[in-house]
Amino acid sequence: MEAIYLDHSATTPVDKRVIKEMLPFFDEKYGNPSSIHLFGREVKTAIEEAREKIAEVINAEPSEIFFTSGGTESDNLAITGTALSMKEKGDHIITSTAEHHAVLDTARFLQKNGFKVTYVPVNKYGIVELEDIKEALTPRTILISIMHINNEVGSINPISEIGEFARENNVLFHTDAVQSFGKEPIDVKKDNIDLLSLSSHKIYGPKGAGALYIKRGVSPEKIIHGGSQEGNRRGGTENVPGIIGLRKAAEICLEEMENERKYLNKLRDYFWEKLQENIPDIYLNGHPKIRLPGILNVSFPGTDSETVLISLDLKGIAASGGSACTSGSIEPSHVLKAMGVSPEIAQSAIRFSLGRENNKEQIDYTVKNLKEIIDYIRKI
Ligand SMILES: *Cc1c(COP(=O)(O)O)cnc(C)c1O
């Protein structure tokens, strides 16, 4: 059996249709979109079409989409940029303990520079509760940053409620939607979202491309200085092939969203059923219903995730212990810790994240090997 990739929340293979769209932008259409000659103009047009497509996916206006190098940069621009531009109004930011490090570490950086941050907890399912945000609000709060879907357990936050609350209180709302963009319906207007981060390589697009949606009237301070590209919000020549790839990846996601959701829901349920049938005493992390179709985070008490992952890897099966950034270290996941699970559950958690090229046969092979691995580790 060929190697099996069950780590789509870390990154995805680039869809062949995406690569095909990108290729001409390396050697035929290589102009700089800021150039006013025909080479530049043709590329500029392609970038504006990409902006329209990204906007369509989240019900934004094309002029509200700003291309970046990916989710991390978008999070940095949204949070640091807002903090700098709003510092006359206030110095307090609300986020959660279960955010991605691109948000958490940006918040810590701002704390070192005089801003105040409240990290609201999550419940046992990894979901932020509006009550906690209400409690954290102060007259000096300028920004609430809460992710849409958690990358480790797949739980979905109530961003619509949070957005409404932020709007009522005249506070900006940013959401890291890297795991949900193109996979779950998002409507920035309906959900009162002011800033939204997205990334290309989590949706079968190339690495190093992403975007930040910035609602009209909101003006985060620039953090990458240089030229006046991207409406003077982000200096630097655009990653043209990356942007074209992101556009095609988003277009495919938009067209196939419903089918893909159904397919991945079924495949994940099948996976979970087979695991329960074959391996006793296992535990599902995250919410059983309010979650992204593709993520299955399971703990196998009596084992440790590192040993299980290495054993799986030897069988050609790729999964992870949490986020890609924390795997390889023996630190248990900060998300599971934030959910308050026991150390035994946290230390034995494996995140499987499924994608469009996975099938039942691969799941059967994975369960069979996992059963042998878990039985063996539990015996010794
Ligand atoms: C992957 C990921 C990021 C980082 O995106 P990059 O494009 O890799 O910089 C940020 N937030 C979440 C939730 C992610 O899953």
Side-chain angles (χ1 to χ4, degrees):
M1 164 112 24
E2 261 184 60
I4 298 174
Y5 188 75
L6 303 176
D7 201 11
H8 291 79
S9 289
T11 194
T12 53
V14 180
D15 192 295
K16 295 280 187 291
R17 293 167 284 183
V18 170
I19 297 175
K20 191 163 167 257
E21 284 291 304
M22 290 172 69
L23 284 176
F25 288 87
F26 287 97
D27 56 355
E28 291 165 28
K29 307 179 182 185
Y30 52 81
N32 185 325
S34 297
S35 302
I36 53 168
H37 49 61
L38 71 162
F39 291 85
R41 286 198 310 272
E42 122 181 285
V43 172
K44 176 93 179 152
T45 304
I47 286 188
E48 294 317 312
E49 282 166 9
R51 221 182 289 286
E52 282 167 28
K53 184 53 73 180
I54 304 303
E56 185 188 336
V57 180
I58 58 172
N59 193 28
E61 304 303 323
S63 60
E64 296 173 318
I65 303 299
F66 299 87
F67 292 113
T68 66
S69 66
T72 302
E73 188 192 323
S74 295
D75 285 343
N76 275 266
L77 174 55
I79 299 168
T80 302
T82 298
L84 293 177
S85 69
M86 305 276 287
K87 63 176 189 288
E88 304 305 323
K89 181 176 178 241
D91 58 0
H92 179 240
I93 293 163
I94 299 171
T95 185
S96 88
T97 48
E99 297 297 308
H100 189 274
H101 280 289
V103 167
L104 287 178
D105 290 10
T106 304
R108 280 188 202 117
F109 165 76
L110 289 173
Q111 277 179 294
K112 275 201 297 195
N113 286 279
F115 289 88
K116 299 187 175 53
V117 180
T118 301
Y119 300 88
V120 299
V122 291
N123 65 21
K124 64 176 179 175
Y125 299 119
I127 296 175
V128 173
E129 292 185 359
L130 184 62
E131 279 312 307
D132 290 315
I133 291 181
K134 284 185 178 168
E135 230 168 80
L137 189 81
T138 78
R140 300 197 53 84
T141 306
I142 47 176
L143 176 70
I144 298 171
S145 177
I146 299 292
M147 69 201 316
H148 185 196
I149 296 189
N150 187 276
N151 51 301
E152 292 195 24
V153 293
S155 302
I156 305 179
N157 279 318
I159 55 166
S160 190
E161 288 174 26
I162 299 170
E164 194 183 329
F165 174 75
R167 185 61 39 89
E168 285 166 6
N169 289 279
N170 202 21
V171 170
L172 293 177
F173 176 42
H174 165 245
T175 190
D176 175 334
V178 171
Q179 290 292 335
S180 57
F181 175 76
K183 301 178 197 164
E184 284 282 319
I186 301 175
D187 185 327
V188 291
K189 292 199 174 84
K190 198 173 111 272
D191 292 341
N192 286 311
I193 297 166
D194 297 298
L195 300 138
L196 179 144
S197 304
L198 62 96
S199 176
S200 154
H201 75 101
K202 306 286 174 80
I203 60 161
Y204 309 90
K207 293 164 185 65
L212 180 66
Y213 152 78
I214 306 174
K215 189 187 161 75
R216 183 175 305 141
V218 175
S219 291
E221 190 74 51
K222 211 169 176 179
I223 58 168
I224 296 188
H225 300 274
S228 56
Q229 290 91 348
E230 293 303 296
N232 199 24
R233 292 197 188 281
R234 197 260 186 194
T237 302
E238 295 85 345
N239 171 8
V240 176
I243 291 169
I244 299 303
L246 167 59
R247 192 215 89 209
K248 185 65 183 177
E251 186 181 309
I252 295 169
C253 281
L254 195 59
E255 278 165 13
E256 300 181 358
M257 195 182 300
E258 267 326 294
N259 285 339
E260 200 149 303
R261 284 164 56 82
K262 277 189 203 136
Y263 179 71
L264 291 177
N265 258 319
K266 254 171 106 173
L267 196 62
R268 183 211 54 213
D269 287 346
Y270 176 77
F271 193 0
W272 177 234
E273 267 165 39
K274 288 283 154 193
L275 283 175
Q276 286 178 298
E277 268 172 42
N278 286 281
I279 309 175
D281 191 23
I282 62 175
Y283 184 87
L284 177 74
N285 297 307
H287 199 283
K289 291 209 176 68
I290 308 172
R291 60 167 161 168
L292 187 73
I295 295 183
L296 186 63
N297 191 312
V298 185
S299 287
F300 303 89
T303 72
D304 69 287
S305 32
E306 231 183 329
T307 311
V308 176
L309 287 170
I310 293 167
S311 312
L312 282 172
D313 191 39
L314 290 171
K315 298 286 179 186
I317 301 164
S320 84
S323 67
C325 330
T326 49
S327 52
S329 74
I330 37 173
E331 276 286 295
S333 130
H334 72 280
V335 174
L336 294 176
K337 227 155 101 186
M339 288 160 58
V341 305
S342 71
E344 209 190 2
I345 296 286
Q347 276 154 21
S348 63
I350 308 282
R351 178 189 69 183
F352 302 97
S353 43
L354 313 180
R356 56 172 72 132
E357 79 286 359
N358 289 137
N359 57 44
K360 270 189 169 175
E361 210 188 340
Q362 295 177 324
I363 299 300
D364 290 336
Y365 177 83
T366 301
V367 173
K368 177 178 156 285
N369 281 282
L370 201 52
K371 177 183 169 46
E372 286 169 15
I373 291 164
I374 301 294
D375 285 352
Y376 180 76
I377 298 174
R378 280 178 174 169
K379 232 179 276 156
I380 54 172

